[in-house]
Amino acid sequence: MKPTQLFLATLLLCATAQAQDLKVYFGNLHSHTSYSDGSGTPDEAYKHARDVAGLDFLAVTEHNHKSAKSKIADSPELYNGNSAISLKSYANSYTKNGEFVAIYGQEFSSISSGNHGNVLEADAVIQTTDVPNGEWDKLLTTWLPAHKDSRGKDAILFLTHPATSSSPNAIEYGIDDFPTQAEWLASLDQYAQLMNIINGPSHQGTNPAKPSESEFKRYLNMGLHVAPTADQDNHRRDWGSVADTRTAVIAPSLDKASILDALASRHVYATQDKNLEIVATINGKLIGSILSDDQLPSVGSELTISISINDSDEPMAYYTVDVYADKPGGAEQADVIKEERFSGNGTFNISGVKYAGGSQYFYIKVIQTDDDAEVFDMAWLAPVWFEPSTAAPATAATHVTLSVNPRTEVATITNIGSQEVDLKKWKLVSTVGDQQFEFPAWKLKPGESVDVVSGSQAAASSTAILWKKQYIWNNDADPGELYDKNGQLVASTN
């Protein structure tokens, strides 16, 4: 099936500024057949998804363990064998460039043992003799590095239905299998590019589960780099057709390598509308991108946000576009910092969003409504991450400390080094309050301090600088960050 496609303009995908024509493809990354605990065959699944549901791609992801009635656990050749009835063979036969992409995969673990994760196109079945059920540490550190996908690259790990009631956060995705959260997160982040924000209806009904937006935000706040997906977890003969939810992939063409590469790069969004085409960039970088060092804008600069929207069967729909932002870590999660309203198909720009410096990410949520604003669909786009190198240069700047007293509205910068520090054009940031102050010409000799006080305090003196804002710091908890003139984070209260 050739999708109804919109030419969505030429966007810059990489630092070399090579332009490519991008298209949006719609599919489902989570489904089952009788090769595990579902109905029908892979042959029926791919055909139904292509011809009845009108999908551009479908992933059949059979359970890897015997307790889920997995035939591929007992007979691995049904997964990757050369027989015409293997899952891999069916996927290869149904994949036609420009028409349809059939993806094969497997669903690892069980809900009670740390929840599920789909591994796409890996070269073998994850046998429980090699990776016991729920032992995510062995999957991430031993099995996945040894088993590449059909591209010869790391297999894509897709985290399914986060925080189900019987899978508490204390064990989810193997967090209990590692000595520290930092070690778990580093291992998981290396392979996991995707996370369900919508799943189901799975075994019964026609209504997908309620969006897990809070869980998606929680994992982003932890520091995980994942794009949101909307999948159906089909166990009946309704692959892709039971609901309008779709995972949308932005890619230059409809072929397996392009789709897998786009998934691996997180050029993905989750949508409740089966043909709502969206392409968005921040500072010229497609959603899902990670910017670092020389790609980063200066602290406090306004970002260039562009979003192209097209819905062929709802050309006069109304849109509310919310931009969320957050810094990884801390109690607070991403919240709306900018909202715009548009109508109809077109390309729109969003202004007034600034980069606060340091590690920060932004993601966009689109709400589509009809003329009466009674029927609405939502779409969640992958974030764009801004992440400077963690290694700071060994200069006098590394010997500066920052302390903040939010109740007295005073921030203190102290030079604890042995060299004079020039603070000119440095920036002091109130991360929760989203306030920024740029220093005038001001030098600190070794051992000297300077107070930055708000307009609610006394006027500046020889040892204080007045920040002309009445109130700056959030009294509950408001981390302060200090950046040098090159945008390098040199001190914080985190």
Side-chain angles (χ1 to χ4, degrees), residues 208-456:
K210 181 181 178 181
S212 301
E213 186 170 7
S214 62
E215 286 302 302
F216 176 62
K217 290 164 67 174
R218 187 174 71 86
Y219 277 97
L220 291 179
N221 183 260
M222 283 185 181
L224 199 62
H225 300 84
V226 286
T229 72
D231 301 289
Q232 298 180 12
D233 196 4
N234 308 95
H235 284 72
R236 298 167 290 174
R237 290 177 168 87
D238 53 12
W239 304 275
S241 62
V242 68
D244 285 343
T245 48
R246 300 285 188 270
T247 292
V249 175
I250 305 169
S253 60
L254 184 58
D255 59 80
K256 183 168 287 191
S258 294
I259 295 298
L260 292 178
D261 285 346
L263 291 172
S265 300
R266 299 168 298 276
H267 301 326
V268 174
Y269 63 93
T271 174
Q272 294 176 318
D273 184 304
K274 64 181 180 181
N275 65 341
L276 176 58
E277 297 175 313
I278 303 173
V279 171
T281 60
I282 299 180
N283 276 22
K285 300 300 180 181
L286 194 60
I287 58 170
S289 299
I290 301 175
L291 284 65
S292 184
D293 296 336
D294 59 350
Q295 296 177 311
L296 295 174
S298 60
V299 177
S301 64
E302 183 171 326
L303 301 178
T304 301
I305 302 177
S306 175
I307 182 167
S308 295
I309 300 174
N310 181 74
D311 192 328
S312 59
D313 54 14
E314 297 179 81
M316 300 307 295
Y318 296 93
Y319 297 94
T320 299
V321 179
D322 291 332
V323 179
Y324 287 74
D326 190 24
K327 288 175 172 286
E332 300 295 327
Q333 296 179 7
D335 203 356
V336 179
I337 60 168
K338 182 70 174 182
E339 182 174 281
E340 296 279 8
R341 297 180 186 276
F342 308 109
S343 61
N345 297 331
T347 298
F348 311 97
N349 296 318
I350 300 173
S351 60
V353 177
K354 295 183 179 180
Y355 171 53
S359 293
Q360 188 177 17
Y361 58 87
F362 303 83
Y363 79 85
I364 296 170
K365 178 180 177 180
V366 177
I367 303 173
Q368 180 196 64
T369 58
D370 63 4
D371 292 342
D372 299 323
E374 294 180 354
V375 178
F376 65 91
D377 290 311
M378 292 183 286
W380 297 262
L381 280 59
V384 172
W385 288 267
F386 293 77
E387 297 186 349
S389 172
T390 56
T395 67
T398 62
H399 301 291
V400 172
T401 64
L402 170 67
S403 64
V404 172
N405 187 328
R407 299 195 178 279
T408 61
E409 295 283 324
V410 175
T412 302
I413 295 92
T414 303
N415 181 2
I416 61 172
S418 59
Q419 302 178 38
E420 184 177 73
V421 175
D422 187 353
L423 298 179
K424 185 177 182 180
K425 293 188 176 181
W426 284 32
K427 287 185 173 66
L428 177 62
V429 177
S430 162
T431 60
V432 172
D434 194 29
Q435 306 271 10
Q436 298 184 31
F437 171 77
E438 183 172 316
F439 282 84
W442 196 285
K443 295 182 179 180
L444 284 181
K445 294 180 180 179
E448 287 186 341
S449 298
V450 62
D451 292 335
V452 180
V453 301
S454 79
S456 63

Side-chain angles (χ1 to χ4, degrees), residues 17-240:
Q18 180 179 2
Q20 297 188 33
D21 296 343
L22 296 175
K23 300 177 178 65
V24 178
Y25 301 100
F26 298 96
N28 177 19
L29 294 174
H30 191 179
S31 69
H32 301 273
T33 74
S34 61
Y35 280 23
S36 59
D37 61 347
S39 301
T41 65
D43 181 53
E44 292 177 86
Y46 292 130
K47 185 175 182 180
H48 183 96
R50 183 193 65 188
D51 298 342
V52 178
L55 300 187
D56 298 314
F57 60 88
L58 174 73
V60 174
T61 51
E62 307 292 7
H63 290 280
N64 78 302
H65 56 95
K66 296 180 181 181
S67 60
K69 302 178 182 179
S70 175
K71 293 181 180 178
I72 67 172
D74 287 322
S75 303
E77 65 275 9
L78 282 178
Y79 173 79
N80 63 346
N82 294 324
S83 166
I85 64 169
S86 76
L87 184 55
K88 178 180 178 180
S89 294
Y90 277 128
N92 289 339
S93 65
Y94 272 92
T95 297
K96 304 293 182 185
N97 290 347
E99 297 181 9
F100 183 76
V101 170
I103 298 170
Y104 63 96
Q106 55 197 301
E107 188 167 16
F108 168 75
S109 187
S110 58
I111 291 176
S112 61
S113 300
N115 214 339
H116 294 142
N118 287 350
V119 178
L120 304 182
E121 301 250 331
D123 60 10
V125 175
I126 306 169
Q127 297 284 5
T128 55
T129 52
D130 298 324
V131 184
N133 185 42
E135 295 193 12
W136 284 79
D137 53 341
K138 290 184 173 61
L139 176 75
L140 295 169
T141 63
T142 303
W143 198 90
L144 283 173
H147 295 274
K148 302 303 180 181
D149 68 7
S150 58
R151 303 168 299 163
K153 300 179 180 180
D154 287 341
I156 294 165
L157 175 60
F158 160 35
L159 304 176
T160 60
H161 38 70
T164 56
S165 59
S166 58
S167 178
N169 294 330
I171 66 171
E172 192 164 61
Y173 307 131
I175 189 172
D176 61 324
D177 295 334
F178 288 82
T180 67
Q181 178 173 311
E183 292 175 78
W184 164 74
L185 190 64
S187 295
L188 186 64
D189 197 45
Q190 182 176 350
Y191 290 99
Q193 295 95 354
L194 309 167
M195 173 177 279
N196 263 152
I197 200 168
I198 299 177
N199 188 65
S202 185
H203 295 76
Q204 60 186 356
T206 59
N207 295 320
K210 181 181 178 181
S212 301
E213 186 170 7
S214 62
E215 286 302 302
F216 176 62
K217 290 164 67 174
R218 187 174 71 86
Y219 277 97
L220 291 179
N221 183 260
M222 283 185 181
L224 199 62
H225 300 84
V226 286
T229 72
D231 301 289
Q232 298 180 12
D233 196 4
N234 308 95
H235 284 72
R236 298 167 290 174
R237 290 177 168 87
D238 53 12
W239 304 275

